[in-house]
Amino acid sequence: PITSPNWNFPGLYSLELGYQERYEDFSDFGSTERPKFFVRWQPIDSSLTIRATSSEAFHAPTLGELYSGASQSFPEVHDPLSPNTPAQVEQILSGNPNLQPETAYEWTYGAVVTPGKWWSPLQGLTLSADFYHIDIRGVSVSLDPQFLILHASDFPGQVIRGAPSPGDPAGPILELLTPIQNLGRLIEEGWDYEVSYTFETARIGHGDWGKFTTTFNGTYLERVVLQAVPNGPKQEVVGKFGGGFLGSGGGGSLTHNRWYASFFYDGPGTSALRSIDTGFTVDYIGQFWDDRFGTFALQDRKVREWITLDWILNYTFNFAGPVAPNEAPGYAKSSSGGSLTGGKDKNVVATSTA
């Protein structure tokens, strides 16, 4: 901490700066040190918090990524250079003993506001928003077969073709070599946000009728950029399902919007409603474009938004606890675990066992 609320500095109600260092040593990659910095600032009071972090990460390859044996797959592909390439070609997947670690750089900044201290009707309200930036370099992945075919010049020797023929100067694809390898970069930026409000009915002064809690949180994915090779062209894939060297399934749905909302009621603890908790939840995933090479028609296809609504009802049974058995006549135990001497007609004296 740099300042404290007890000091009452204008504009510096509370200020904290932090630094952390992570050291790792690997027998096959050597040692690495990765720092983390953070700041937490409350300029007025505890109702407003501004925060930011900056950190680095390191991911060493696993034994499987390094030394796994070769395996076969026969994916469906489209070859724009040869009409004689079959619909399915042989793909060889394997580990890579020359694989290098992934590194990542991340920074975030945002704020949390609880305005109930400024205006009493807003008591129980919390708002937060954080912007994040993630930059992963040397991404370890097996190339998507279709991406490899379309960008074969960036990965020499990984698309094996047969002999050319009249009308087929490129030659049909015989084999695709897709070991796990270090590619370029994956950059992702977006916003995480949340609004939550808790209302205690006892606050209005007409008895306790329970508690209402509502929450709305989500993520807005602003930017996702893939770069297959260092210093190569960048591809924007936000709003799509996978894409780029990740393939039609890699990365999942990179939709702009995802959010979750809920509204719950908890019965008061002093009435028959204390056992009831009920509420509704809504999940939303925005629309996105499917990878056209993952469709039967090889055409772009829009997948509409997905919404679910759930009703939840909980009831807690409150049974009386078991009745303690009566003590046997002439015997008793102290609460401290010591033994007691004397019968039922005598003064009982605790005997220490320490």
Side-chain angles (χ1 to χ4, degrees):
I2 305 300
T3 63
S4 166
N6 296 329
W7 297 1
N8 199 27
F9 281 174
L12 292 173
Y13 177 81
S14 176
L15 177 63
E16 298 179 14
L17 301 177
Y19 172 80
Q20 298 174 350
E21 185 83 17
R22 179 171 181 173
Y23 174 83
E24 295 176 290
D25 183 69
F26 298 87
S27 60
D28 45 359
F29 291 103
S31 60
T32 179
E33 295 179 62
R34 298 292 165 177
K36 177 180 180 179
F37 303 87
F38 67 88
V39 59
R40 182 176 179 272
W41 176 36
Q42 294 178 328
I44 305 172
D45 54 27
S46 59
S47 299
L48 173 61
T49 301
I50 300 173
R51 57 195 181 186
T53 63
S54 175
S55 60
E56 297 180 13
F58 176 93
H59 172 246
T62 65
L63 289 175
E65 292 173 333
L66 290 169
Y67 304 114
S68 62
S71 61
Q72 287 179 310
S73 181
F74 294 89
E76 293 186 359
V77 297
H78 171 68
D79 183 7
L81 300 182
S82 172
N84 296 320
T85 296
Q88 289 182 288
V89 298
E90 182 181 21
Q91 176 189 9
I92 303 298
L93 303 102
S94 65
N96 183 356
N98 297 317
L99 199 62
Q100 297 300 308
E102 293 177 327
T103 57
Y105 303 87
E106 178 182 1
W107 50 265
T108 67
Y109 60 82
V112 181
V113 181
T114 52
K117 190 173 182 179
W118 304 336
W119 191 34
S120 59
L122 297 180
Q123 184 178 348
L125 176 65
T126 301
L127 304 97
S128 68
D130 292 279
F131 180 82
Y132 68 88
H133 170 95
I134 302 173
D135 183 355
I136 305 176
R137 304 180 184 180
V139 179
S140 300
V141 68
S142 291
L143 275 170
D144 174 69
Q146 187 62 56
F147 182 87
L148 175 58
I149 292 173
L150 297 178
H151 301 83
S153 59
D154 293 328
F155 306 96
Q158 292 187 231
V159 178
I160 310 301
R161 292 183 176 273
S165 62
D168 188 2
I173 295 176
L174 303 179
E175 192 175 61
L176 300 175
L177 305 180
T178 58
I180 297 177
Q181 58 194 111
N182 294 109
L183 300 180
R185 301 168 68 183
L186 188 157
I187 302 173
E188 181 176 318
E189 294 179 344
W191 288 90
D192 291 329
Y193 53 87
E194 181 175 55
V195 178
S196 64
Y197 181 67
T198 301
F199 178 69
E200 302 274 359
T201 58
R203 284 167 34 197
I204 61 178
H206 295 285
D208 185 2
W209 294 92
K211 178 177 67 176
F212 295 90
T213 303
T214 183
T215 301
F216 179 79
N217 60 46
T219 297
Y220 177 76
L221 198 55
E222 184 173 305
R223 179 171 174 247
V224 180
V225 175
L226 299 178
Q227 188 179 39
V229 294
N231 302 318
K234 296 180 180 179
Q235 179 184 6
E236 180 70 63
V237 296
V238 68
K240 301 180 180 179
F241 189 85
F245 60 77
L246 297 176
S248 59
S253 168
L254 301 175
T255 178
H256 278 289
N257 287 293
R258 296 171 181 265
W259 54 260
Y260 163 87
S262 67
F263 181 80
F264 280 92
Y265 168 76
D266 297 327
T270 56
S271 74
L273 296 177
R274 69 183 184 275
S275 300
I276 296 178
D277 302 314
T278 187
F280 296 89
T281 65
V282 180
D283 286 278
Y284 173 89
I285 298 178
Q287 64 183 20
F288 56 87
W289 287 96
D290 206 352
D291 184 351
R292 64 189 182 94
F293 291 109
T295 65
F296 291 108
L298 298 179
Q299 296 179 352
D300 291 331
R301 178 179 61 186
K302 180 181 284 189
V303 179
R304 302 297 302 182
E305 57 273 0
W306 180 70
I307 303 174
T308 63
L309 172 64
D310 296 281
W311 174 46
I312 300 171
L313 175 64
N314 294 325
Y315 185 87
T316 303
F317 293 91
N318 297 289
F319 297 109
V323 179
N326 295 328
E327 296 178 349
Y331 295 92
K333 293 182 179 180
S334 70
S335 59
S336 62
S339 61
L340 300 178
T341 62
K344 60 181 179 180
D345 296 328
K346 301 180 182 179
N347 294 326
V348 180
V349 180
T351 304
S352 175
T353 58

